[in-house]
Amino acid sequence: MANTDMRTGLQLRSLVKKDGTLELSLVSIPTPEPKPEEVIVRVEASPINPSDQGLLFGGADLTTAKASGPADNPTVTASIAPAVMKAMAGRLDQSLPVGNEGAGVVVRAGESPAAQALMGKTVAILGGAMYSQYRCIKAAQCLVLPPGTTPAEGASCFVNPLTALGMVETMRVEGHKALVHTAAASNLGQMLNKICLKDSVGLVNIVRKREQVDVLKKLGAPHVCDSSSPTFMDDLTDALLATGATVAFDAIGGGKLAGQILTAMEVAANKTAKEYSRYGSTTHKQVYIYGGLDRGPTEFNRAFGMAWGIGGWLLTPFLQRIGYPAAQKLRERVAAEIKTTFASAYAKEISLAEALRVEEIAVYGKQATGGKYLIGPQKGLR
Amino acid sequence: MANTDMRTGLQLRSLVKKDGTLELSLVSIPTPEPKPEEVIVRVEASPINPSDQGLLFGGADLTTAKASGPADNPTVTASIAPAVMKAMAGRLDQSLPVGNEGAGVVVRAGESPAAQALMGKTVAILGGAMYSQYRCIKAAQCLVLPPGTTPAEGASCFVNPLTALGMVETMRVEGHKALVHTAAASNLGQMLNKICLKDSVGLVNIVRKREQVDVLKKLGAPHVCDSSSPTFMDDLTDALLATGATVAFDAIGGGKLAGQILTAMEVAANKTAKEYSRYGSTTHKQVYIYGGLDRGPTEFNRAFGMAWGIGGWLLTPFLQRIGYPAAQKLRERVAAEIKTTFASAYAKEISLAEALRVEEIAVYGKQATGGKYLIGPQKGLR
């Protein structure tokens, strides 16, 4: 199925069937003629982020995954539980492309000067359908990478970097002076730690394992709390007192952690309060849940007064809220610091066909810290 | 202990001792000389609101309540569980006055024209320590009741009326077009229902018992959902679709109700959505928890996309947020409609001494719908 010209390209597709089956496959699609304002990017690298996996797997039970077909054009099927199928109503029987972001080289351009100016440039792009050999996209959506940057280095310019910057910006916009982050040893967490060190912003890192404390300590993080430690609540309260953090970004979602953070924030707030308030501290305490590493229910005891909030946080609405000029500033910072602050590490680079191998799915589907994969859509095809 | 002049007055006090004992008693305190801007109100009526009970009982286990002393000057003691005592650290060994709001007659006034103008007037007041025979308060804090209004009629001018109006205002300020209310057959809920009918605001009432549906239906409520019904989630979704409500005010707090409301809001939002969004609907869905009728943990499954929030809601910060002129408009509306929209009903009127009877505490401590008590601080003393 390898193709040697640009007229068609492979694209990874995810299909949820009415009968409760997920089907992953590669399809060959014609490369469109770019409109005046558009370019064709030959995608060279695209990460598999946690935020891609919801669309990719449709909530399927990955232990049921089975492959069929030839090695260079496999099909993978897996079962989706009936309870999960309810949430899939909107995407039933639609073959959907996947992949939020990536980077590659502009190989064709529409007539407009903006598009023509990008010919031959290495660019980072965001917009879905990146697990494809070729992606037609507006020139204005391309972030030109600094000379000497490879597509692999620029593949993760948006989701993690803008999410990390977005957390710090949200903290500022909403009047908090420091922040808390959970699952903090993740690729995103390490990036946030680098930003906070560089910008002198107080950050309380929460991790779930002892060895992850060391990872962050080695990166210079002043406050790392291990939620598996018996002294966790005291450690967290001390770190909150030291930093004054009153907003948290939580990737876990399920379980008691969000409530524990609010409880510790309340204890910290009351340690500095001057008089008894029957409704608890008047300091607003906020947890934003932006991920669901624990898919179980969220549970909390409301032992933190009345000035609190828990809510969802998502990058795109945040960028819309701050407006294009402010968002563009963040993007330009990412491009400028892509080899330092915003550098990403990958456990492995795989081809589109390898992304559909059951043994690879078993690894990258785990979303384990340090286990991020990069798809090279041109790999194994040339 | 009856007193016939104004030089001293009885005041109800709540004391949490270090040993884990709650002590309720009446003390005789000197009536202060009013400053130029102040007046002395002879308190005639003050309700026992759910919001008073936290301060009054200090989280004590009311089944352990014991009375001692003479009938006209009893002392009540009860035990507080060690886990609850942690939250009492700020009030230990302080004898605290209780009672958020009330109404009475101005019997003495400071020299200022504003204070003098209130002499003899029947006024409603908010500010704590209302379970007292006499309350010294700034003239500016007095809401003059329309002629012909009794103190009993005006005793509940603030907490419930302003909370109900505050919910509707919050809905408007935050861009929602209709609202949901739980424990909706309560005194507050009936008031909110009257406001919404009068102002043509969509309201979805959620109650926990079949008979409460009838109470609200009789009052003309178009949407009443019974959370004990097997068709609750469908009924709620239909009512949300009919009204477009995307914000809820929840008095229950514990359990799964807050999450159920967000889930039904998401289902309603997706019924009108045009295309599949992997992150759920982009409609922001909000639940404000303003009470804790269920003191157990709050639990939810996050099956409602990313555009959601759950948080605490409290009257005082809301009034501060909208500013004095806007808040004053709400207060004046309450005074004008105190016998209609904002009329309160009480199960019983008791004296200060009767408020400390174990058998009365067993009733009003339950916070049952239709079981609200009114304290008459002058009762049994003249």
Side-chain angles (χ1 to χ4, degrees):
Chain A
M1 238 178 135
N3 62 338
T4 50
D5 61 40
M6 283 167 42
R7 282 178 302 181
T8 62
L10 291 180
Q11 185 173 74
L12 193 153
R13 291 290 183 85
S14 171
L15 172 66
V16 170
K17 294 180 177 175
K18 271 202 192 72
D19 68 1
T21 311
L22 166 77
E23 188 182 283
L24 303 176
S25 63
L26 301 181
V27 298
S28 179
I29 56 160
T31 306
E33 195 61 32
K35 290 181 190 151
E37 303 297 335
E38 292 177 341
V39 297
I40 303 294
V41 176
R42 187 181 68 223
V43 183
E44 302 278 356
S46 175
I48 305 178
N49 286 315
S51 54
D52 293 310
Q53 300 208 6
L55 186 64
L56 180 62
F57 294 131
D61 177 357
L62 299 181
T63 63
T64 65
K66 274 175 207 153
S68 58
D72 67 341
N73 186 23
T75 297
V76 171
T77 56
S79 307
I80 303 171
V84 177
M85 279 299 286
K86 279 185 202 164
M88 298 297 139
R91 59 170 289 187
L92 285 186
D93 295 332
Q94 297 167 49
S95 175
L96 300 173
V98 192
N100 281 316
E101 64 180 341
V105 176
V106 175
V107 290
R108 235 156 111 189
E111 298 149 14
S112 72
Q116 285 293 321
L118 294 177
M119 263 308 290
K121 294 263 166 65
T122 298
V123 296
I125 46 181
L126 174 75
M130 295 303 165
Y131 299 163
S132 307
Q133 278 186 275
Y134 298 98
R135 176 69 159 86
C136 181
I137 196 161
K138 285 194 177 145
Q141 283 184 262
C142 295
L143 183 66
V144 178
L145 293 167
T149 311
T150 66
E153 287 169 334
S156 296
C157 266
F158 298 95
V159 178
N160 277 355
L162 292 179
T163 299
L165 286 172
M167 289 171 179
V168 177
E169 283 303 300
T170 300
M171 174 204 83
R172 289 193 181 115
V173 169
E174 298 188 356
H176 304 278
K177 65 175 227 182
L179 72 166
V180 178
H181 188 227
T182 75
S186 66
N187 202 309
L188 171 65
Q190 296 186 24
M191 210 172 266
L192 181 62
N193 182 54
K194 282 192 270 182
I195 295 168
C196 289
L197 287 175
K198 192 163 186 182
D199 296 5
S200 300
V201 169
L203 172 67
V204 177
N205 294 285
I206 298 177
V207 296
R208 291 181 288 179
K209 290 177 188 163
R210 176 67 226 173
E211 52 268 36
Q212 293 167 338
V213 175
D214 303 331
V215 169
L216 284 162
K217 287 273 180 196
K218 269 183 203 153
L219 294 172
H223 304 285
V224 191
C225 304
D226 176 3
S227 61
S228 70
S229 158
T231 60
F232 172 61
M233 285 302 283
D234 289 339
D235 300 343
L236 178 58
T237 305
D238 289 346
L240 293 171
L241 272 170
T243 57
T246 46
V247 62
F249 292 87
D250 175 35
I252 314 286
K256 297 187 175 178
L257 186 57
Q260 287 177 313
I261 294 169
L262 291 172
T263 303
M265 284 177 177
E266 178 70 4
V267 173
N270 285 332
K271 281 204 175 168
T272 53
K274 278 164 201 144
E275 62 176 37
Y276 174 67
S277 162
R278 77 181 89 171
Y279 294 119
S281 84
T282 53
T283 307
H284 184 79
K285 300 160 291 288
Q286 179 71 38
V287 174
Y288 286 113
I289 295 178
Y290 74 94
L293 293 176
D294 178 343
R295 293 187 191 182
T298 308
E299 193 185 311
F300 55 88
N301 284 311
R302 307 188 310 286
F304 31 72
M306 294 300 281
W308 61 275
I310 299 182
W313 191 91
L314 201 58
L315 179 59
T316 309
F318 163 75
L319 292 176
Q320 286 165 349
R321 179 178 161 195
I322 63 169
Y324 183 82
Q328 192 56 21
K329 264 195 180 170
L330 299 183
R331 288 184 198 103
E332 282 161 12
R333 176 173 177 187
V334 175
E337 301 175 30
I338 192 66
K339 291 195 185 188
T340 54
T341 317
F342 302 106
S344 286
Y346 304 96
K348 194 169 184 180
E349 186 180 336
I350 56 175
S351 69
L352 284 170
E354 285 164 345
L356 299 195
R357 281 194 191 155
V358 170
E359 56 273 29
E360 299 294 2
I361 289 172
V363 178
Y364 72 73
K366 269 188 200 154
Q367 302 184 29
T369 297
K372 180 175 285 207
Y373 272 40
L374 187 68
I375 292 181
Q378 310 301 327
K379 200 169 173 271
L381 296 171
R382 281 180 291 199
Chain B
M1 234 178 139
N3 62 336
T4 49
D5 61 40
M6 283 168 43
R7 282 178 301 182
T8 62
L10 290 180
Q11 184 173 74
L12 194 154
R13 290 289 183 86
S14 171
L15 171 67
V16 170
K17 294 181 176 175
K18 273 204 191 70
D19 67 2
T21 311
L22 167 78
E23 188 181 284
L24 302 177
S25 62
L26 300 182
V27 298
S28 180
I29 55 162
T31 305
E33 194 62 33
K35 291 181 190 150
E37 304 295 334
E38 291 176 341
V39 297
I40 303 293
V41 177
R42 188 182 68 225
V43 184
E44 300 280 356
S46 175
I48 306 179
N49 287 314
S51 53
D52 293 310
Q53 301 207 5
L55 186 64
L56 180 62
F57 294 131
D61 176 357
L62 299 182
T63 63
T64 66
K66 275 176 209 152
S68 59
D72 68 340
N73 187 22
T75 297
V76 172
T77 55
S79 308
I80 304 172
V84 178
M85 278 299 286
K86 279 186 202 164
M88 298 297 137
R91 59 170 289 187
L92 286 186
D93 294 332
Q94 298 167 50
S95 175
L96 300 173
V98 192
N100 281 315
E101 64 181 341
V105 176
V106 175
V107 289
R108 233 157 112 190
E111 298 149 15
S112 73
Q116 285 293 322
L118 293 177
M119 262 307 290
K121 294 264 165 66
T122 299
V123 298
I125 45 181
L126 175 74
M130 295 303 164
Y131 299 163
S132 307
Q133 278 186 274
Y134 298 98
R135 176 69 160 88
C136 181
I137 195 160
K138 284 195 178 147
Q141 283 182 263
C142 296
L143 182 66
V144 177
L145 293 168
T149 311
T150 66
E153 287 168 334
S156 296
C157 267
F158 299 95
V159 179
N160 278 354
L162 291 179
T163 299
L165 286 172
M167 289 172 180
V168 177
E169 282 304 300
T170 300
M171 174 203 83
R172 289 193 181 114
V173 168
E174 298 188 356
H176 303 276
K177 64 175 225 179
L179 72 165
V180 178
H181 188 226
T182 74
S186 66
N187 203 310
L188 171 64
Q190 296 186 25
M191 210 173 266
L192 181 61
N193 182 54
K194 282 191 269 183
I195 295 168
C196 289
L197 287 175
K198 192 162 186 182
D199 296 6
S200 299
V201 169
L203 172 66
V204 177
N205 294 286
I206 298 177
V207 296
R208 291 182 288 179
K209 289 176 189 164
R210 175 68 227 173
E211 53 268 34
Q212 293 167 339
V213 175
D214 303 331
V215 169
L216 284 162
K217 287 274 181 193
K218 269 182 203 153
L219 294 171
H223 304 285
V224 191
C225 303
D226 175 5
S227 61
S228 71
S229 158
T231 60
F232 173 61
M233 285 303 283
D234 289 339
D235 299 344
L236 179 58
T237 306
D238 289 347
L240 293 171
L241 272 169
T243 56
T246 47
V247 62
F249 293 86
D250 175 36
I252 314 285
K256 297 187 176 178
L257 186 58
Q260 287 177 313
I261 294 169
L262 290 172
T263 302
M265 283 177 177
E266 177 71 2
V267 173
N270 285 331
K271 281 205 177 168
T272 53
K274 279 166 199 143
E275 61 175 36
Y276 175 66
S277 162
R278 78 182 87 170
Y279 294 120
S281 84
T282 54
T283 308
H284 184 78
K285 300 160 292 287
Q286 180 71 39
V287 174
Y288 286 113
I289 295 177
Y290 73 93
L293 292 177
D294 178 344
R295 293 186 189 183
T298 309
E299 192 186 312
F300 54 88
N301 284 310
R302 307 188 310 287
F304 31 72
M306 294 299 282
W308 60 275
I310 299 181
W313 191 93
L314 201 58
L315 179 59
T316 308
F318 163 76
L319 292 176
Q320 285 166 349
R321 179 178 161 196
I322 63 169
Y324 183 82
Q328 193 55 23
K329 265 196 181 172
L330 299 183
R331 287 184 198 102
E332 282 161 12
R333 177 172 176 186
V334 175
E337 300 175 32
I338 192 65
K339 291 196 184 189
T340 54
T341 318
F342 302 106
S344 286
Y346 305 97
K348 194 169 183 178
E349 186 179 336
I350 56 175
S351 69
L352 283 170
E354 286 165 343
L356 300 193
R357 282 194 191 155
V358 171
E359 55 274 28
E360 298 294 1
I361 288 173
V363 178
Y364 72 73
K366 269 187 198 156
Q367 302 184 28
T369 298
K372 180 174 285 203
Y373 272 38
L374 187 68
I375 292 181
Q378 310 301 328
K379 203 171 171 267
L381 297 170
R382 283 180 290 198

